[in-house]
DNA sequence: CACGTAATTGTTAGCGTTCACATTGAACTC
DNA sequence: GAGTTCAATGTGAACGCTAACAATTACGTG
C-alpha cells in the first residue's frame, strides 16, 4: 500500500525517512546555505517519496508572517476593480504571496474597518484597499496602526498609508482639451456618482481645462456609472441647443449616450462628439468606436504590491504617493466641430 | 500608557485581565454554551479593554481547519469569471469562510495542479476551480485525493469532484429557436475558442436546434470571445448571401458583429438579426440593444460554496452535478424575417 | 444532609513549524 | 600537534490556540 497511514506526513516523518533531524529538513526547505549537497539530496528524495507538503499554517504561527496579503474592494464585477485586483494578484504571487479577497457590497467606514479586522485576525501581512470612494478613504483614517496598508485609487491624509492611483484630473484634461482643440466651443460633462473620488477628479480636470481655455462651464449632468444613466443624460443633451461635445466620466455611460443619440437620429461624431474614460475592451467596437482615456490598471496593481512589500519588509516607511499617468486613445466618436 | 508592551495581547493576557483561565476565554470566543453570563461579560470586557484579536493561524494549526477556501480561475478580468468569483466570495463570507484567489495566465494541467498544490500548502479547506476549459477540466482528474473540490463551469469524469454549471446547450437552443420562430430559414453561428467547454456547449445547442427543425447547418465561424473576432466574422457574414440571422457565442463578439454590419450599412435587425450570450451590463445599450441569453453567475457562485461546504462538513459525499438554467432576454437586435 | 448529577472552570498536552543555542567534526594555523 | 575557526547538524523550547480530561461548584432529591 502507498498509504501506510491516513495522516499526512510531517517534517518529522521526512526527517526519519532521510535519517536526519527535523531541523535539517527545515533548512533544506528554506534554502539554508549550510547543508551538505548529499544531505540535501537525501532529504529532497525523502520529501518526494513521502509526498510531503509543508504546513504553511504552522510556519506562519512561529514566523508571524503568513505570506498572505488582504485585498478589500468594492464590487469586483466592475472592470476597473477587477483589473486592479488581477494586477495585484499576479504581482503578489510573483513575490511569493497569497491574496485573500473581501468584496464589499456597501462601502462605508464600518464595513471597511470590519473587513480589515477580519483580515487582521486571519494574519495577513498587509492590506490593499481598493477604495475609490470617499467613505472608504475616510475609513482608512481609523484603521488599526501597525498593519501595512496601501490604498489603490484612493486618497487619505494619514502619513502611514501610501496611495497608488491614476491621475484622474490629468485624464479628464486630456479628454477635454482634445475636444477644445477640435474647435468645440465648450464641452458638456456627465459625471460619476459624487461619492467617488474618481468622479471628483474627472469633474475637476474637465472644469480646469475649460477654465484654462476661458470657455463657459456648463452644468454637469449627474450619472452613476451605469449605461442607463448615460442614456438618460444623452437624451437630455440631445434636447438642448448648441451641444457639440460630451465627455462622459466612464465608457459605460458614454455607451448610453451613443445609444440615446443613435435612437434620436443625432449623428456621432458629425453633430456631437463623445469621449469616455477607462478604455474597456468593448469601447473599440462601439458604434462609432469610442475615443477615450486609457487607464493601466495592471500597473496600479503592481505598484500597490511593490509599495506594500516595501512597507512590510523595511518597516513603517515614509508616506508614498504614486500617481500613474493615463493615456488618450483617439477613435472615431470625436471629430472637428463644423 | 495604553501600550504597556509592543507585543499584541494573546489569550493568556485576556485570561489574566479577566481573572479566568485561557480556556474560558477560548470558550467565550467560540460561543461555548457552558459559560456563566457574568464570566462571559467579564471576559468580553477584558477583550475590548485590551483590544485583543484572536489569532486564527494558531487556531487553524490545532483545529486543522483554516476556514479559508481557495479559488483557481482563469483571467478574472472577464465578466463571467469575475461575476462567478464575486458570487463565491459573498457566499463564502456569509458562511464564515475566507477566500484565497489564484488567477492563472495560462490554463493547463500543470498550472492548475500547481495552483491547487499552492493552496493546499496554505491549508485551504476546499477549492473551487473555475475551469471553463478542457485542459483545466482534465487537470481536475489528476488532483490530489482528499481535498474537497468543486468545478464551476467545468466538467469531469471523477466521481469525487462535483460540478456546478450553466446549461450552455439549453441557452444556445433558446437563442437558435427564437430566431427560427421568427421565420429565419437558418442561423449562422460564431463560436468561441474550441478549447472552451462553453464554446462546445453553445455549438452543440445551436446545431441541435437547427437539426430538430430540419434546417441546413451552416459552417460555424471561429471566434475567440473578443469583440475583434466578432467584427471579423461580421464582415465575412455580410459578404455572404442569404444571411439573415446570427448567433454569436458571447455578447462581446455580438458587439463586433453589430459594429461590422453598422460600418457596412447593413441594417440590424431589418436585414440581419443578431443574438449574443451572457447579458453583460452593456448589452442593453448596444446599437441596437442586444437580444441575448442571460447567465446568473451569482447563483453559480453560491451553489459552488454550498456544494463545497457540504463536502467539507459531511466528508466525501456523492458526486453532485448542479445545472443552472439560463434565461432568454429579447431586445431589438432580432426581428421577424422578411 | 449526604449523594448523584449537571453545569462551570481549570490543567495539561499537543498541533507542525522555526529560532536560539549546543554539539560535533573537519580544516586550518603557527 | 594543540588551539582556533567554521561548516554542518542536532536539541529543546517556543508560537497561540483548542481538545481532552480533571477538578470544582451548585443543585436538586430521597
Amino acid at each position: 500500500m502507498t498509504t501506510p497511514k491516513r495522516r499526512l506526513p510531517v517534517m518529522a516523518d521526512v526527517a526519519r525517512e532521510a535519517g536526519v533531524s527535523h531541523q535539517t529538513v527545515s533548512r533544506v526547505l528554506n534554502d539554508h546555505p549550510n547543508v551538505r549537497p548529499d544531505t540535501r539530496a537525501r532529504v529532497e528524495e525523502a520529501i518526494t517519496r513521502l509526498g510531503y507538503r509543508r504546513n504553511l499554517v504552522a510556519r506562519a504561527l512561529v514566523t508571524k508572517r503568513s505570506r498572505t496579503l488582504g485585498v478589500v474592494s468594492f464590487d469586483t464585477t466592475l472592470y476597473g476593480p477587477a483589473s486592479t485586483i488581477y494586477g495585484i494578484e499576479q504581482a503578489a504571487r510573483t513575490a511569493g504571496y497569497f491574496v485573500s479577497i473581501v468584496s464589499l457590497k456597501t462601502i462605508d467606514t464600518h464595513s471597511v474597518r470590519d473587513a480589515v479586522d477580519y483580515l487582521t485576525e486571519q494574519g495577513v501581512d498587509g492590506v490593499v484597499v481598493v477604495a475609490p470612494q470617499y467613505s472608504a478613504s475616510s475609513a482608512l483614517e481609523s484603521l488599526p496602526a501597525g498593519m501595512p496598508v496601501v490604498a489603490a485609487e484612493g486618497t487619505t491624509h494619514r502619513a502611514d498609508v501610501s496611495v497608488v492611483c491614476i491621475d484622474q484630473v490629468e485624464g479628464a484634461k486630456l479628454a477635454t482639451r482634445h475636444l477644445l482643440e477640435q474647435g468645440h466651443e465648450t464641452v458638456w460633462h456627465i459625471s460619476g456618482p459624487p461619492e467617488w473620488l474618481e468622479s471628483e477628479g474627472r469633474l475637476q480636470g474637465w472644469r480646469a481645462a475649460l477654465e484654462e481655455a476661458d470657455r463657459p462651464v456648463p452644468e454637469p449632468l449627474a450619472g452613476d456609472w451605469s449605461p442607463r444613466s448615460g442614456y438618460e443624460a444623452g437624451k437630455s443633451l440631445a434636447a438642448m441647443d448648441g451641444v457639440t461635445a460630451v465627455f462622459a466620466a466612464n465608457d459605460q455611460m458614454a455607451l448610453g449616450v451613443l445609444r440615446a443619440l443613435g435612437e434620436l437620429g443625432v449623428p456621432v461624431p458629425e453633430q456631437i462628439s463623445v469621449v469616455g474614460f477607462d478604455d474597456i475592451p468593448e469601447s473599440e467596437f462601439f458604434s462609432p468606436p469610442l475615443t477615450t482615456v486609457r487607464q493601466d490598471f495592471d500597473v496600479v496593481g503592481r505598484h500597490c504590491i511593490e509599495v506594500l512589500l516595501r512597507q512590510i519588509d523595511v518597516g513603517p516607511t515614509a508616506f508614498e504617493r504614486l500617481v500613474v499617468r493615463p493615456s488618450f486613445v483617439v477613435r472615431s466618436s470625436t471629430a472637428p466641430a463644423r
Side-chain angles (χ1 to χ4, degrees), chain A:
Chain A
M1 295 297 278
T2 39
T3 44
K5 280 159 202 168
R6 58 187 68 252
R7 188 176 56 81
L8 263 57
V10 298
M11 215 172 245
D13 299 321
V14 177
R16 200 177 315 112
E17 181 84 9
V20 296
S21 77
H22 64 125
Q23 182 58 256
T24 301
V25 177
S26 172
R27 278 192 266 259
V28 169
L29 249 33
N30 294 299
D31 287 317
H32 190 92
N34 295 343
V35 178
R36 267 216 317 269
D38 62 314
T39 309
R40 181 182 300 275
R42 210 141 35 88
V43 170
E44 278 166 348
E45 198 198 337
I47 286 174
T48 51
R49 190 160 46 228
L50 263 51
Y52 167 75
R53 315 251 63 198
R54 71 169 140 194
N55 184 329
L56 292 183
V57 173
R59 178 205 178 92
L61 178 62
V62 52
T63 59
K64 298 175 180 311
R65 286 288 180 80
S66 62
R67 296 199 76 81
T68 299
L69 301 178
V71 175
V72 179
S73 174
F74 175 75
D75 195 352
T76 51
T77 293
L78 295 172
Y79 181 71
S83 304
T84 307
I85 291 175
Y86 186 75
I88 288 171
E89 199 277 335
Q90 295 292 322
R93 193 140 47 86
T94 304
Y97 278 79
F98 291 91
V99 171
S100 215
I101 292 193
V102 178
S103 342
L104 268 21
K105 265 188 202 137
T106 60
I107 205 150
D108 52 69
T109 307
H110 251 304
S111 56
V112 173
R113 243 210 105 104
D114 282 356
V116 175
D117 280 358
Y118 189 64
L119 290 167
T120 304
E121 278 192 337
Q122 199 207 16
V124 297
D125 297 340
V127 174
V128 180
V129 180
V130 182
Q133 288 120 321
Y134 281 106
S135 50
S137 288
S138 70
L140 289 176
E141 319 275 329
S142 65
L143 240 42
M147 172 66 74
V149 176
V150 170
E153 299 295 329
T155 192
T156 176
H157 300 299
R158 264 178 74 154
D160 56 345
V161 174
S162 295
V163 174
V164 177
C165 61
I166 289 173
D167 194 336
Q168 305 294 333
V169 175
E170 178 62 21
K173 283 185 182 173
L174 288 173
T176 311
R177 285 194 199 124
H178 172 77
L179 290 167
L180 294 181
E181 278 160 15
Q182 299 236 301
H184 295 279
E185 168 63 18
T186 188
V187 177
W188 270 256
H189 180 54
I190 304 169
S191 65
E195 166 64 8
W196 292 60
L197 294 163
E198 294 163 351
S199 304
E200 184 58 32
R202 292 170 198 181
L203 194 68
Q204 269 178 31
W206 161 73
R207 198 188 307 272
L210 289 182
E211 285 169 353
E212 274 169 21
D214 270 327
R215 302 304 170 84
V217 180
E219 187 65 24
L221 289 85
D224 63 4
W225 298 139
S226 75
R228 177 166 305 282
S229 68
Y231 176 77
E232 304 295 348
K235 287 208 286 196
S236 306
L237 288 167
M240 292 162 60
D241 273 342
V243 176
T244 68
V246 177
F247 164 45
N250 79 345
D251 283 0
Q252 298 206 346
M253 294 196 295
L255 174 65
V257 172
L258 294 181
R259 175 71 205 129
L261 297 181
E263 233 174 70
L264 298 168
V266 178
V268 176
E270 291 78 8
Q271 186 173 330
I272 298 186
S273 287
V274 177
V275 176
F277 207 118
D278 278 355
D279 195 26
I280 62 176
E282 288 85 2
S283 301
E284 191 180 348
F285 295 89
F286 286 174
S287 299
L290 189 67
T291 295
T292 189
V293 179
R294 175 178 297 158
Q295 309 196 73
D296 197 337
F297 295 108
D298 248 49
V299 169
V300 172
R302 279 205 298 279
H303 281 323
C304 283
I305 295 303
E306 276 169 27
V307 171
L308 192 56
L309 292 185
R310 206 174 303 143
Q311 226 171 105
I312 291 169
D313 293 335
V314 311
T317 169
F319 166 80
E320 291 190 60
R321 191 183 178 81
L322 247 144
V323 179
V324 178
R325 291 178 64 87
S327 57
F328 195 63
V329 183
V330 179
R331 300 209 182 94
S332 45
S333 68
T334 48
R338 284 177 303 181

